[in-house]
Amino acid sequence: MGNEIFENEQAHLTKTYNKLLDIKKNLEEQITALNEKAVEDKNDIRDNIRFDYADVETTMETLAEIEVWNRYIDTYNVESNSLGKRLETVNKLLESPYFAKIELVFEGESVPESYYIGRAAISENGYDQMVVDWRSPIAEVYYNQENGHTSYMVEDRTIPVDLRLRRQFEINRDKLVSFFDTQIAIEDPMLLKSLSQTRSDKMQAITATIQKEQNTVIRYPDVQVLLVNGIAGSGKTSVLLQRIAYLFYQKRKTLRPEHVCLLTLNPVFRDYIDNVLPDLGETNPPTLTWHEFLKKVGVPFADNEYDGTGDGSLQKIHDVLLTLSPEEDDFYNITHNGKTVMSKSDVFDVVKRFSQFPMGVRLIQTVADELEERAKNILRTKDIFNEDSESAAGSDSAEENRIENDFGGALSFIRRCNFVNIKHVAQRILGSEYITAAEWIYTKMELTGKCDRNVRYVMIDEVQDYTEAQLMVFSKFFPNARFMLLGDEFQAIRKGTISFDRIKEMSEAAGKEFVELPLMTSYRSSPEITEMFASLLPQEKKMMVSSVKRSGEGIVVKSFDSDREYYEELKALINEFEKKDGLTAVICRSGYSLEKIAGALGDKAPQLISESDSLPKKGVFFIELALAKGLEFDNVILADADAEAYPSDELGKHCLYTAVSRATQHLAVLAKGKLTENI
């Protein structure tokens, strides 16, 4: 029976693969023909279009003709892009046309219908689907892992079905390697095989092995604040990226990459995840670190990596600003090429004209409008600002264009409300010379209304390492966005970061719908490694943790009194792990510790990964714990697991939990001197 099923599935795969090859050939022919026609038409345009600007009438005719040809070319570009994207989808499916099959009996029917599920949908004739997209409603019954009577949703309508078969495949192009029928996640051979593979420098999509608790998060209905609270190795980041892909699919007519903002802790991690969405046929949304966000919004200085400001100062800015009386030093001169257009005294005079408004958006925007008109009048009449431009007056519209062209910098300065001395205002409110980046941008938003209303989703990974002030800034800057926050409170490795209880309090205080979803299964680490990092959790949390991986090797834990013995063991472990497959990370708690140990090893020291580096494809490397967050490695050596680096306080336990949980297969814990008490 098994051989017969295998042969039937191989025959179906061969048929599907050949159809995909036919579709690919047809698309390539269409693209070639379209490109040839485009080249022919562009040559025709070049040869026949007349650029005649003799008078107004002929100029208008010329411009109209150019516009017609531009639209014609745009049509080519749209069609070419559409065909190109479809060809990309087909090429991805040719690598592995699908990974699962379900057989459903619909209500009122008796004959099962088969559906093959893959990374993307493809149809042979435009409506008969050969492969359904994993994000489609009908594919949900596969991920729910419940054979028998079940259902799925289509536009708020429940479709009852009887799931007769849930089959998974391992496929390499047109070859069926294996298949199995299953309904319980922990027994999935495909999942276990995936987890046993060596790690690379890039995160892989988990589409074929999404588990039920992960699927709940991925397909969860839209809420204003969704907090995913998952243990180390539970696939939080993978789930985040799959949810972004799911949202793009569900809202494909209205949601574009620029409507999503992904916030991540460091560039190393961003580089690690940057291939997942493209592999699913989607474009990566803008991805920013905190420092990159500050640069984007125009903060004129950078502070420490993690802004330790609590909510108190930002709340004070909000409360006090409306009662603050403006003063002259709250404003800047407006200049052009180093010459003053309006002094800050002039600006202050305008501000005083609108004293009926309190300090805030209405006052500053009203002042900006008035300043722009006054500046234009000054720039029209003072030749000192017009040394390099033609001064001959023309029509009103021509004069307006001249002012815009010649003095756009000064006018833009006004329109962006850069005439406000944000730092001085914040200093007055807070009574402090030192102003953090969060305080600066929050004050600017309160004064000018600066924000991004186009972003509809903000995704924050490793949210436990952000401060309350940073989350307040994001919430105010993206007023129309829904937030998805992912993290693990026990991986908070900085002081002063936000608690999950506080996130809930802030959301509810703002009147936002808040949902928290757990992820409690570790798919990353061996049971031995999982047991070690779980031992650092509170008892009630520890009891909920489980691992689905098969047993691995024992963990090496050693401490040494002498430098010689310590460095000999470290060198021996590096040499041993260098012979193993995959990636080996030598993790140090701090940059100081990393440089000290690497310096002692000299020429024998592995590569050091900095914030600007990508991970190597294989081999051994040094990495600081702060950069290792969110990443996973086949082998990990904790090189400085002493009591000083990992003290027995809460923060020390969090750091050790984070470091240990980076390992998937092999773990060695070394200390020079006294070993941390947390182990």
Side-chain angles (χ1 to χ4, degrees):
M1 182 66 177
N3 287 338
E4 183 181 348
I5 295 174
F6 189 96
E7 290 172 2
N8 289 338
E9 292 293 3
Q10 177 62 68
H12 181 273
L13 173 61
T14 301
K15 181 179 178 181
T16 302
Y17 194 84
N18 288 335
K19 286 181 178 178
L20 286 170
L21 288 175
D22 290 341
I23 293 172
K24 177 181 179 179
K25 181 180 179 182
N26 181 261
L27 287 170
E28 289 173 338
E29 289 173 350
Q30 289 183 61
I31 291 171
T32 299
L34 184 68
N35 290 340
E36 290 174 352
K37 186 71 165 61
V39 170
E40 182 181 328
D41 286 345
K42 287 177 182 177
N43 289 335
D44 189 43
I45 294 170
R46 183 193 61 202
D47 294 339
N48 293 291
I49 195 168
R50 293 181 306 108
F51 296 97
D52 191 346
Y53 303 103
D55 52 43
V56 173
E57 185 176 347
T58 55
T59 296
M60 295 302 292
E61 289 176 357
T62 298
L63 294 176
E65 189 175 358
I66 292 172
E67 179 62 22
V68 169
W69 283 113
N70 281 340
R71 291 183 181 181
Y72 198 58
I73 293 170
D74 286 343
T75 302
Y76 273 122
N77 291 336
V78 169
E79 188 175 355
S80 179
N81 288 339
S82 176
L83 290 171
K85 288 181 178 178
R86 194 151 188 261
L87 181 59
E88 286 179 10
T89 298
V90 172
N91 283 330
K92 288 183 182 299
L93 290 177
L94 283 169
E95 297 171 7
S96 178
Y98 45 80
F99 55 80
K101 172 186 177 181
I102 52 176
E103 285 187 358
L104 305 176
V105 178
F106 289 87
E107 198 172 57
E109 303 290 336
S110 58
V111 179
E113 294 187 25
S114 296
Y115 296 88
Y116 288 84
I117 302 169
R119 289 186 293 172
I122 195 74
S123 60
E124 185 178 9
N125 49 23
Y127 54 88
D128 288 334
Q129 287 199 323
M130 299 157 50
V131 179
V132 299
D133 195 294
W134 68 273
R135 297 164 289 186
S136 65
I138 202 168
E140 186 172 2
V141 298
Y142 166 75
Y143 292 112
N144 283 342
Q145 301 165 350
E146 296 173 354
N147 279 25
H149 294 289
T150 183
S151 63
Y152 63 95
M153 301 290 294
V154 178
E155 297 179 349
D156 298 325
R157 186 164 60 95
T158 301
I159 310 295
V161 293
D162 184 6
L163 177 59
R164 297 286 181 86
L165 176 71
R166 181 177 179 271
R167 178 168 291 163
Q168 293 178 266
F169 302 103
E170 183 183 354
I171 290 172
N172 182 13
R173 302 192 73 83
D174 62 343
K175 302 299 181 185
L176 177 59
V177 180
S178 63
F179 77 90
F180 50 90
D181 300 338
T182 183
Q183 49 183 312
I184 303 174
I186 203 166
E187 295 177 353
D188 279 358
M190 183 178 290
L191 172 64
L192 295 175
K193 182 173 182 178
S194 171
L195 297 177
S196 67
Q197 292 176 350
T198 56
R199 267 47 187 179
S200 71
D201 60 324
K202 297 289 186 181
M203 176 179 279
Q204 304 301 312
I206 61 168
T207 311
T209 58
I210 293 170
Q211 300 303 290
K212 187 173 182 178
E213 65 173 0
Q214 297 171 329
N215 186 57
T216 299
V217 176
I218 292 167
R219 295 175 185 261
Y220 201 82
D222 266 354
V223 292
Q224 288 173 302
V225 181
L226 177 61
L227 173 62
V228 180
N229 186 350
I231 65 163
S234 56
K236 294 183 294 296
T237 303
S238 295
V239 166
L240 164 63
L241 296 170
Q242 301 283 158
R243 179 164 175 83
I244 293 174
Y246 176 75
L247 290 170
F248 282 147
Y249 177 84
Q250 292 292 309
K251 305 173 187 294
R252 51 194 174 278
K253 293 183 179 179
T254 59
L255 187 66
R256 299 191 297 274
E258 60 267 27
H259 294 151
V260 178
C261 181
L262 175 55
L263 294 160
T264 186
L265 287 176
N266 59 66
V268 176
F269 184 69
R270 176 176 55 205
D271 184 68
Y272 176 62
I273 65 173
D274 67 3
N275 67 318
V276 174
L277 286 170
D279 279 352
L280 295 173
E282 303 292 353
T283 302
N284 280 320
T287 306
L288 300 171
T289 65
W290 170 246
H291 277 168
E292 289 166 343
F293 170 79
L294 295 179
K295 184 176 180 180
K296 175 186 175 183
V297 299
V299 178
F301 60 91
D303 53 12
N304 56 348
E305 182 179 0
Y306 294 89
D307 192 328
T309 309
D311 73 313
S313 63
L314 302 195
Q315 189 62 47
K316 185 176 182 180
I317 291 168
H318 175 77
D319 294 339
V320 172
L321 186 62
L322 292 176
T323 66
L324 194 71
S325 296
E327 60 182 40
E328 188 174 309
D329 284 341
D330 289 338
F331 306 98
Y332 289 119
N333 295 336
I334 299 170
T335 63
H336 173 71
N337 288 342
K339 299 173 183 177
T340 300
V341 180
M342 296 180 71
S343 69
K344 65 180 181 180
S345 176
D346 296 329
V347 174
F348 186 49
D349 286 341
V350 174
V351 172
K352 288 187 290 187
R353 288 189 59 234
F354 300 99
S355 58
Q356 70 271 29
F357 300 138
M359 280 284 270
V361 176
R362 189 175 182 185
L363 171 65
I364 299 304
Q365 292 294 346
T366 303
V367 168
D369 292 341
E370 179 69 17
L371 289 175
E372 183 175 346
E373 287 305 311
R374 292 195 179 198
K376 284 181 178 179
N377 288 332
I378 293 170
L379 295 168
R380 286 190 190 99
T381 57
K382 288 193 175 182
D383 288 340
I384 187 173
F385 299 115
N386 201 27
E387 295 169 348
D388 299 322
S389 65
E390 298 178 8
S391 58
S395 65
D396 289 345
S397 61
E399 178 66 4
E400 283 296 313
N401 288 336
R402 182 186 71 80
I403 295 294
E404 289 288 344
N405 291 335
D406 291 350
F407 307 108
L411 298 177
S412 177
F413 184 85
I414 296 171
R415 290 165 186 160
R416 294 177 182 176
C417 303
N418 290 339
F419 57 87
V420 183
N421 187 339
I422 303 297
K423 186 176 181 180
H424 187 264
V425 174
Q427 287 171 330
R428 289 178 62 205
I429 294 173
L430 299 175
S432 171
E433 284 294 312
Y434 175 72
I435 300 299
T436 69
E439 290 164 348
W440 191 95
I441 186 57
Y442 200 85
T443 304
K444 173 127 187 179
M445 290 189 288
E446 286 281 338
L447 279 168
T448 68
K450 183 180 181 65
C451 64
D452 189 337
R453 299 185 183 278
N454 293 320
V455 170
R456 293 166 55 188
Y457 291 93
V458 174
M459 312 299 201
I460 305 180
D461 202 10
E462 304 287 351
V463 70
Q464 75 281 347
D465 281 324
Y466 288 83
T467 65
E468 185 170 335
Q470 288 173 311
L471 294 191
M472 289 179 69
V473 167
F474 293 143
S475 180
K476 192 170 185 65
F477 189 80
F478 301 108
N480 296 333
R482 296 177 182 272
F483 282 76
M484 183 180 184
L485 316 173
L486 299 95
D488 177 357
E489 281 190 290
F490 302 98
Q491 291 189 60
I493 64 172
R494 302 284 183 184
K495 291 181 179 179
T497 53
I498 195 165
S499 70
F500 286 6
D501 285 342
R502 182 58 185 148
I503 291 175
K504 181 179 180 181
E505 290 172 3
M506 289 171 60
S507 302
E508 293 177 343
K512 295 183 176 181
E513 182 183 6
F514 173 88
V515 173
E516 181 175 342
L517 298 177
L519 291 174
M520 295 306 298
T521 304
S522 175
Y523 303 98
R524 173 187 296 156
S525 305
S526 68
E528 294 84 358
I529 296 170
T530 302
E531 182 180 357
M532 175 175 277
F533 71 69
S535 69
L536 298 164
L537 298 174
Q539 186 62 31
E540 67 276 9
K541 191 94 170 180
K542 184 193 311 180
M543 294 173 61
M544 300 169 66
V545 175
S546 62
S547 170
V548 302
K549 292 192 72 172
R550 297 187 178 97
S551 294
E553 297 181 10
I555 299 170
V556 174
V557 180
K558 294 181 179 180
S559 62
F560 302 90
D561 292 328
S562 74
D563 285 353
R564 183 183 60 80
E565 292 177 325
Y566 167 76
Y567 285 112
E568 282 183 359
E569 179 65 19
L570 180 57
K571 290 176 185 177
L573 283 170
I574 289 173
N575 290 334
E576 177 187 342
F577 284 1
E578 201 157 23
K579 298 172 185 175
K580 296 181 182 294
D581 293 332
L583 292 171
T584 296
V586 183
I587 298 177
C588 294
R589 171 68 183 87
S590 66
Y592 170 77
S593 177
L594 186 152
E595 291 178 6
K596 177 184 175 183
I597 295 172
L601 293 177
D603 294 340
K604 302 292 185 181
Q607 173 188 358
L608 273 66
I609 300 296
S610 69
E611 194 171 85
S612 59
D613 295 326
S614 299
L615 293 177
K617 295 188 178 299
K618 62 179 181 178
V620 184
F621 54 89
F622 270 108
I623 189 168
E624 186 181 346
L625 178 59
L627 293 181
K629 286 184 62 63
L631 308 179
E632 56 184 45
F633 315 105
D634 301 281
N635 319 300
V636 166
I637 302 171
L638 299 192
D640 57 352
D642 53 70
E644 182 179 351
Y646 297 94
S648 57
D649 59 13
E650 182 178 71
L651 189 61
K653 288 183 178 180
H654 286 183
C655 290
L656 186 62
Y657 168 87
T658 304
V660 168
S661 60
R662 300 308 94 201
T664 66
Q665 299 180 35
H666 308 100
L667 174 65
V669 181
L670 298 185
K672 165 62 177 66
K674 185 179 179 182
L675 188 71
T676 173
E677 294 178 5
N678 298 323
I679 294 180

